[in-house]
Amino acid sequence: MKRNLQLYNSLKREKETFVPLHETHVGMYVCGPTVYSDVHLGNCRTFMSFDIIYRYLMYCGYKVRYVRNITDVGHLLDDGEDRILKGARLQQLEPMEVVQKYTNGFHDMMRLFNTLEPSIEPRATGHIVEQIELVQQIIDNGYGYEINGSVYFDTPKFAAQTGEYGKLSGRVIEELVSESRDNLKNQDEKRHPSDFAIWMKAAPEHIMKWNSPWSVGFPGWHLECSAMSTKYLGSQFDIHGGGNDLKFPHHENEIAQNVSSCGCQPARFWLHTNMLLLNGKKMSKSDGNSISPVELITGDSEHISKAYSPMVVKFFMLQAHYSAPLDLSDEGLLAAEKGFKRLMEAIKSLNKLTSTATTGNLDNELKAIADGALTEMDDDFSTPKALAKLFELVPKINSLADGKISINEVSSEAIMYIQKIVNDLVFNVFGLKDEQDGQNSAVDGLMELILNIRQKARENKDWGTSDQIRDGLKAAGIVVKDSKEGSAWVYE
RNA sequence: GGUCUCGUGGCCGAGCGGCUAGGCAGAGGUCUGCAAAACCUUCCACAGCGGUUCGAAUCCGCUCGAGACCUCCA
């Protein structure tokens, strides 16, 4: 299915028509987590966003290779300590135990949010050889220099000769006063404050270190993405994504490394997701304005009144565009929860509809709404607008389901057409799932029996029994919904 | 301090010069044994002040406010 996709390209600062390098294949690289502690909720938003982008590209018929790395070395803290090593020290674990622990936790969380696994999930420590080769290429091409066993990227030279530095982040090198941590520590070594380390000589007590032509040391943080994207997607690929706080310095430096080693821009489209705020403010553990994914789904946080299911959280996030800041709040989640249920109920009803009509005068209107949802997705993956379209369908579906609109107004062909689009979009592209599902048939059978008994009582105008059943079920967390066609039930 | 983004109704969030966003909440109604659900109708807006335009939430300027990046963070 060939669709006309428009993507906002951060590099160009405008929307562009998406044309992949190879007609049928798409290569996409997304900066993954640094696995030194539990995954951040904002991080989850980013990966959910790219999961939907991944899924939609596949829905459009592309074969997508989605590479999302695991950073397990080289990402340093303010004091110059490696994030992984700090985690290891604090928890008295082997560095790789830390990596494994939080990688597992990250995967568990991604699974809860029903995201697909990437095609390749490479680790930085598994690609030391490639990173050393990349450093060598950069040196060979004259953009890297070694001092005392560490290798630095010559940013001013690169900027002057290529004019490529600062394009993504909109920075001018003269204005940059770099304080990147590895540089703070070795301030004297660098020729220019904006130079950054691509290979760091390790102190004797440093645990994670490897042999290299320059020293026993470890790679700079920005290096891994350059090396791994090139290895798995080629020196040029279609989409590079990440959170917008990575634009500088990480992505800017990544581009510099790629351009200086192979002479070409790595990605044609740069996509950046925006921040997740809590109650209008940036999440920050230090001032208490923070909530973790686990707290959100267990309800164990002062910021929320109850537990929210992962799908509700996901639905909430879908209501905002990935490139806009999103403000998380209890009220917002509550609203999302109701909206999500309503949508799920409507889809259930939709999937039960059957018509024998061969033509219907609502056909065009309904099909146009469904098509519209896809058109919105074509426009930079606008999930909020696509959802709005689906919600336009909800009253129509409900009216058809309860007979307020005759089913003969819609042809069987149109119903199947709409069912296909709605189900594909909601379940395959958005990756939502109906949490009411998955009940065992025992419960279904039981409920059918109970509701039949209640129906008999109602027919006999035995309101006492009828209400007793209804109230009892309510107390058990099950809501009975009566309609002309009979009674349905749903978990509260 | 520098770079940039944004300020939409009770809440969340679309909107990219003229035409309904949507969700939640509120109000009225239909249906119903009652209730819930569902359906129908409906109230509430574009931070402020100027400017451009036949016409601005949408473009420009200023003011106020918020946020991001510049320093690890998605």
Side-chain angles (χ1 to χ4, degrees):
Chain A
M1 187 192 334
K2 190 87 175 169
R3 301 193 64 91
N4 175 24
L5 299 182
Q6 299 290 318
L7 310 197
Y8 181 83
N9 189 350
S10 302
L11 191 59
K12 304 273 184 65
R13 291 160 200 269
E14 63 185 18
K15 270 186 196 167
E16 294 182 319
T17 302
F18 179 69
V19 181
L21 283 164
H22 308 287
E23 199 182 340
T24 53
H25 289 65
V26 174
M28 178 164 87
Y29 188 93
V30 173
C31 292
T34 302
V35 282
Y36 69 106
S37 70
D38 290 321
V39 60
H40 185 114
L41 186 59
N43 223 165
C44 291
R45 182 189 181 198
T46 294
F47 299 134
M48 276 190 246
S49 297
F50 284 107
D51 179 61
I52 286 163
I53 289 171
Y54 174 44
R55 288 164 177 267
Y56 193 64
L57 289 170
M58 290 194 290
Y59 177 76
C60 291
Y62 293 111
K63 293 228 180 275
V64 187
R65 180 177 291 170
Y66 172 26
V67 180
R68 186 184 65 202
N69 68 296
I70 295 280
T71 295
D72 56 1
V73 69
H75 198 164
L76 306 182
L77 289 156
D78 286 337
D79 54 9
E81 185 170 13
D82 187 295
R83 286 170 172 267
I84 303 295
L85 295 182
K86 181 172 184 184
R89 181 170 56 76
L90 292 178
Q91 301 178 54
Q92 298 199 307
L93 295 172
E94 271 293 313
M96 277 300 143
E97 277 185 288
V98 174
V99 166
Q100 194 63 55
K101 177 179 172 185
Y102 292 114
T103 301
N104 292 156
F106 169 64
H107 286 157
D108 290 344
M109 196 50 68
M110 288 296 102
R111 221 167 285 130
L112 276 178
F113 286 122
N114 199 29
T115 64
L116 299 177
E117 289 162 6
S119 325
I120 303 175
E121 190 171 51
R123 290 182 178 195
T125 53
H127 298 77
I128 300 296
V129 171
E130 289 83 352
Q131 294 182 74
I132 289 174
E133 282 170 5
L134 185 57
V135 172
Q136 191 59 57
Q137 275 178 6
I138 293 172
I139 294 175
D140 291 346
N141 289 345
Y143 294 110
Y145 57 90
E146 182 207 332
I147 292 181
N148 297 332
S150 290
V151 183
Y152 295 95
F153 189 88
D154 191 339
T155 311
K157 180 176 178 185
F158 175 76
Q161 296 199 351
T162 66
E164 288 293 330
Y165 200 76
K167 275 191 178 170
L168 179 69
S169 56
R171 269 158 233 275
V172 182
I173 192 155
E174 287 74 27
E175 292 170 357
L176 281 173
V177 180
S178 169
E179 330 223 320
S180 84
R181 60 216 52 296
D182 35 283
N183 299 331
L184 263 183
K185 207 173 143 199
N186 302 288
Q187 197 63 35
D188 305 337
E189 292 184 352
K190 295 195 307 181
R191 292 182 193 158
H192 186 94
S194 67
D195 290 354
F196 54 93
I198 48 183
W199 185 264
M200 294 285 291
K201 180 180 179 180
E205 67 275 16
H206 205 91
I207 307 174
M208 296 171 92
K209 54 192 172 187
W210 294 265
N211 280 314
S212 80
W214 314 284
S215 65
V216 175
F218 54 94
W221 172 42
H222 314 303
L223 205 61
E224 55 166 303
C225 290
S226 291
M228 294 188 289
S229 68
T230 302
K231 173 162 183 174
Y232 296 112
L233 297 172
S235 54
Q236 265 205 302
F237 52 96
D238 298 297
I239 296 173
H240 191 125
N244 78 172
D245 51 348
L246 290 182
K247 266 189 194 171
F248 189 90
H250 184 58
H251 289 160
E252 196 68 73
N253 290 169
E254 205 183 314
I255 291 173
Q257 290 163 350
N258 280 274
V259 174
S260 66
S261 62
C262 83
C264 57
Q265 282 281 339
R268 317 228 335 282
F269 289 83
W270 284 82
L271 268 44
H272 286 98
T273 56
N274 215 129
M275 298 295 104
L276 182 66
L277 307 174
L278 179 59
N279 298 317
K281 288 191 196 130
K282 178 184 173 175
M283 284 202 213
S284 157
K285 274 185 192 166
S286 52
D287 66 11
N289 193 239
S290 174
I291 186 166
S292 73
V294 174
E295 288 167 345
L296 200 49
I297 59 184
T298 59
D300 182 22
S301 166
E302 54 172 325
H303 298 292
I304 50 176
S305 61
K306 59 180 296 256
Y308 294 97
S309 78
M311 287 304 112
V312 167
V313 174
K314 186 167 187 172
F315 180 84
F316 171 77
M317 293 187 180
L318 288 173
Q319 286 184 297
H321 189 85
Y322 74 83
S323 67
L326 172 62
D327 191 9
L328 188 86
S329 67
D330 195 49
E331 267 185 310
L333 287 165
L334 240 22
E337 186 170 55
K338 293 199 174 183
F340 176 62
K341 270 190 189 167
R342 185 159 170 242
L343 183 63
M344 286 301 124
E345 289 302 308
I347 292 174
K348 269 192 211 163
S349 300
L350 170 66
N351 290 339
K352 285 182 196 153
L353 293 181
T354 51
S355 167
T356 51
T358 50
T359 59
N361 31 42
L362 287 178
D363 284 10
N364 288 341
E365 182 191 346
L366 297 184
K367 284 161 86 173
I369 299 174
D371 285 334
L374 295 178
T375 307
E376 299 297 0
M377 285 300 287
D378 294 340
D379 183 15
D380 203 20
F381 312 106
S382 186
T383 54
K385 290 204 279 187
L387 277 178
K389 285 289 175 193
L390 294 180
F391 273 104
E392 278 182 43
L393 235 29
V394 167
K396 314 276 185 197
I397 293 169
N398 287 332
S399 293
L400 286 166
D402 67 13
K404 292 215 171 64
I405 299 176
S406 164
I407 193 68
N408 294 321
E409 297 287 307
V410 190
S411 71
S412 104
E413 180 267 332
I415 284 182
M416 287 191 284
Y417 182 88
I418 293 159
Q419 285 171 337
K420 174 99 174 76
I421 289 182
V422 170
N423 284 281
D424 279 348
L425 196 54
V426 171
F427 300 115
N428 297 151
V429 176
F430 293 161
L432 293 169
K433 54 186 181 186
D434 189 348
E435 289 160 325
Q436 303 283 348
D437 274 357
Q439 263 113 65
N440 54 56
S441 49
V443 173
D444 287 338
L446 207 57
M447 284 307 300
E448 194 181 339
L449 176 68
I450 292 171
L451 290 179
N452 278 343
I453 293 170
R454 177 164 173 271
Q455 188 56 34
K456 290 234 168 63
R458 294 181 73 207
E459 282 162 11
N460 295 330
K461 297 201 190 303
D462 178 3
W463 309 129
T465 303
S466 164
D467 290 355
Q468 187 189 354
I469 290 173
R470 187 173 69 194
D471 296 344
L473 288 172
K474 167 96 174 153
I478 291 172
V479 179
V480 176
K481 303 198 288 191
D482 295 333
S483 72
K484 280 176 186 160
E485 280 71 42
S487 300
W489 64 278
V490 65
Y491 284 113
E492 198 167 17

